[in-house]
Structure formats: structure tokens, C-alpha cells
Amino acid sequence: MTTNQRLTPGDLAPDFTLPDADGAAVSLGDYRGRKVIVYFYPAASTPGCTKQACDFRDNLAELNDAGIDVLGISPDKPGKLAKFRDAEQLTFPLLSDPDRAVLTAWGAYGEKTMYGKTVVGVIRSTFLVDEEGRIATAQYNVRATGHVAKLRRDLSV
């Protein structure tokens, strides 16, 4: 398996409808007319993913004030996402993509290097989708720690 086609600014964001931590359907189209950060992470309740999610939580008010919503997507099932959300008091939707179809469509699933070995898995990635549903920013292989602060600087938020 090779890395999927990556999205670039100007591309139409691949639409999706996925269950959230409570099993309710959430669609990218629900956010049309607003900017939304869509970020992909490997697994709920792991150290790096917890740090990244808590950084988004801690910066959510400023992002929302700038007209930006946040969605987190992982292959975890809704039940695991609910435990993660509740344990970390996360206040933005966590979406479940267990068959990895959305991850793949966004280029966030494929070959990556981990501890010097090539493996297939979730590529930690972050996107800013504009009000018209187009990719404004596409970042692949982001770091879990410090990423949200860098993103806020890049977006002047």
C-alpha cells in the first residue's frame, strides 16, 4: 500500500457523514458557511492523541470566536470516543471512522514511518476547510505536541 493522494489548498474537501461519540450522524456539510478544522488522529486515549485533543479543547473558545469549529476523526468506535471525551472533558465532536474510508479519502491513512519502520496506519493530519467546503490548509505528519499553537499562529487566531 502506498500513501494516498494528498489534498492541497483549493481542493474540494471530501464530504462525509460519520457517527459521533454518541452515535449521532455528523456531516461535513453541517458546517457549510463556517470554517472548520478537521483533524485526524490515530487512537483515542493514547498520550499523543490526548495531548493534541486537550490542546484543541483548551484553544476552542479562541478558535470559535474566530469563526472556526473543530472536528476530530479517528478509527475508534463511538463507545471509545465517548469514554475519551468524558475523561478529558472534550467539548468538540469526535467522529468514528472504523472502516477508514474518510481517513483514506483525505489522504490521512497509508504508509508512514514509525520508529524507523514503514507501517500502514493513520497519518496525523490537520485541515482547515473554508466556508465553501474547500481545503484552505492541509498539513500532514503533524506533531501532537505544539501543533495547535502553531496552527493558531498560522491562522492568526
Side-chain angles (χ1 to χ4, degrees):
M1 176 179 207
T2 58
T3 303
N4 299 307
Q5 182 72 24
R6 293 193 166 186
L7 299 174
T8 57
D11 288 348
L12 193 60
D15 203 9
F16 59 78
T17 299
L18 293 171
D20 69 8
D22 298 315
V26 176
S27 297
L28 181 60
D30 298 342
Y31 293 86
R32 193 61 46 93
R34 283 184 62 85
K35 293 178 184 171
V36 61
I37 290 170
V38 179
Y39 84 96
F40 295 91
Y41 61 99
S45 302
T46 57
C49 296
T50 298
K51 174 68 176 143
Q52 186 179 22
C54 290
D55 278 352
F56 274 115
R57 176 200 65 205
D58 295 346
N59 288 277
L60 192 62
E62 290 83 359
L63 291 167
N64 289 166
D65 287 349
I68 303 170
D69 293 312
V70 175
L71 297 173
I73 300 176
S74 76
D76 299 305
K77 301 241 187 263
K80 185 175 181 188
L81 295 177
K83 287 178 186 168
F84 182 43
R85 175 198 63 204
D86 296 346
E88 303 303 332
Q89 300 176 341
L90 302 176
T91 53
F92 56 88
L94 299 176
L95 307 182
S96 173
D97 184 25
D99 65 3
R100 298 167 180 81
V102 175
L103 285 149
T104 301
W106 286 64
Y109 187 80
E111 286 184 358
K112 64 181 183 175
T113 303
M114 205 161 116
Y115 307 113
K117 295 186 178 190
T118 299
V119 298
V120 175
V122 176
I123 300 163
R124 192 182 303 275
S125 308
T126 301
F127 304 87
L128 177 66
V129 180
D130 70 16
E131 297 88 344
E132 286 78 44
R134 295 203 170 272
I135 302 293
T137 302
Q139 299 176 344
Y140 291 92
N141 298 307
V142 301
R143 300 182 70 89
T145 304
H147 171 63
V148 176
K150 180 185 181 317
L151 189 61
R152 283 189 58 190
R153 283 192 305 274
D154 292 350
L155 298 175
S156 301
V157 174

